[in-house]
Amino acid sequence: MARETIIAAGSNGPEDEQFNTALRPHSLDECIGSPELMEKLRIAITAARQRSEPMEHVMLHGPPGLGKTTLAYVIAHEMGATIKVTSGPALTRPSDLIGILTNLDTGDVLFIDEIHRLTPAVEEYIYPAMEDFKVDFVVDSGMHSRTINLPLKPFTLIGATTRAGMLSPPLRTRFGIAHHLEFWSDEDLARRVRMTADMLKIAYDDDAILTIARRARGTPRIANRLVRRCRDFAQVKGDGRLTPKAVNAALNLEGIDLLGLDDLDRKFLGIIIDIYRGGPVGIEAAAATLGEEVDTLVDVVEPFLLQRGLLARTRRGRSVTLKAYDHLGLPAPADDRPDAPLFGDPPA
Ligand code: ADP
């Protein structure tokens, strides 16, 4: 399916992950992105290094594929630290987390992806670890039970989440630095596309670079994948050079339109229009109609459609905008339907 091969902003298996890793910048200077964020990180890193302390805990949130993992690695690299990587769903029991925490060395960076998916039982151990660099746990039960207090070496926790709203307030407040990653501008994506093409030693026209950037859904991970698809196409159908013609043909073949939407994006907008008369519709109902996971729609599909103004989220559910009708080449509804019925559940 197109989303899995191209548009999925998340990882597509080990090969894709390897490719992603190879294309990650290592230092802040190589990083593309908002100068304010880079400056904020540079100051925090320099200050911590000057004091010979680990950096403050960092929370990065935003849709998948925008650079949370990359920043975690860059911070560790700039701190001269070792990074340990895990994820919320992998830490099912408190002992999983305690095992990792007690093995951290002074200054190490612990990266927890999808941190919003930690269970409350595990999360409880994170608070004292973050605040006082210790874990308390109870061994035995009944009259033999005792609390063991284990000191930890000072470390930096970097948490990443696609759903900042699902973080518990006590966890959220324990991060010294929190940053929301936005979709990338076309200019930044063009820099990324050029960087990727150079690294992969692909010849290109400048216009072709901009075309890929504009159709990459604001997401560097997708931009990287599109470069590979276009390279394959140019190699088989042309002379290997990325020209605007080859790139447009390759992206059309993949079902990616001029705004970067793919089949699933268009289907999502389409069912809201066809079945729910433009909305509002609850996300659960829309997901059921589409046969998709709610999480996929909320984490991957919706954020970009919202950001591009094709979808609106109200208390009564999701509605498509006039811009969406226009983009899909459909006639706009005759009136603004003040009596539009409420379909499905209200949004989360
Ligand atoms: P996330 O963790 O948010 O899902 P990643 O960190 O895996 O996203 O980023 C996906 C890809 O985007 C990386 O492999 C890298 O090639 C590119 N990328 C991300 N952030 C940057 C950046 N600041 N500068 C250059 N490339 C980046």
Side-chain angles (χ1 to χ4, degrees), residues 309-324:
L310 298 166
L311 187 74
R313 200 157 59 185
T314 68
R315 284 218 341 253
R316 298 175 61 206
R318 278 69 168 168
S319 298
V320 296
T321 61
L322 290 178
K323 194 173 166 192

Side-chain angles (χ1 to χ4, degrees), residues 173-189:
T173 53
R174 282 175 169 82
F175 288 93
I177 297 176
H179 187 81
H180 180 72
L181 281 101
E182 307 279 349
F183 285 109
W184 286 29
S185 66
D186 289 350
E187 293 70 38
D188 281 350
L189 281 172

Side-chain angles (χ1 to χ4, degrees), residues 125-155:
Y125 287 88
I126 289 234
Y127 306 150
M130 290 174 79
E131 227 158 14
D132 304 318
F133 300 121
K134 61 168 193 168
V135 279
D136 300 322
F137 61 97
V138 179
V139 286
D140 291 342
S141 55
M143 60 183 287
H144 298 294
S145 85
R146 50 207 164 96
T147 304
I148 296 199
N149 181 285
L150 267 186
L152 302 172
K153 307 214 176 85
F155 69 99

Side-chain angles (χ1 to χ4, degrees), residues 75-94:
I75 290 170
H77 176 83
E78 295 279 347
M79 288 297 299
T82 305
I83 184 166
K84 306 260 163 66
V85 178
T86 184
S87 74
L91 301 170
T92 47
R93 290 161 308 160

Side-chain angles (χ1 to χ4, degrees), residues 63-64 162-163 166 268 283-284 287 293-304 306 313 318 348:
T162 47
R163 304 262 191 106
M166 277 173 69
F268 181 52
I283 192 67
E284 308 276 350
E293 298 278 330
V294 170
D295 281 357
T296 308
L297 294 185
V298 173
D299 287 344
V300 184
V301 180
E302 278 196 339
F304 186 70
L306 287 165
R313 200 157 59 185
R318 278 69 168 168

Side-chain angles (χ1 to χ4, degrees), residues 9-10 17 19-21 23-25 30-33 38 62-71 111 113 160 181 184 192 195-196 219-221 224:
E17 208 34 64
F19 172 70
N20 243 318
T21 308
L23 293 177
R24 280 200 181 113
E30 291 169 285
C31 273
I32 300 166
M38 299 309 156
L66 297 189
K68 298 181 290 298
T69 313
T70 300
L71 279 178
F111 177 60
D113 202 5
L181 281 101
W184 286 29
R192 175 68 253 185
M195 199 191 233
T196 305
T219 308
R221 184 190 291 254
N224 286 341

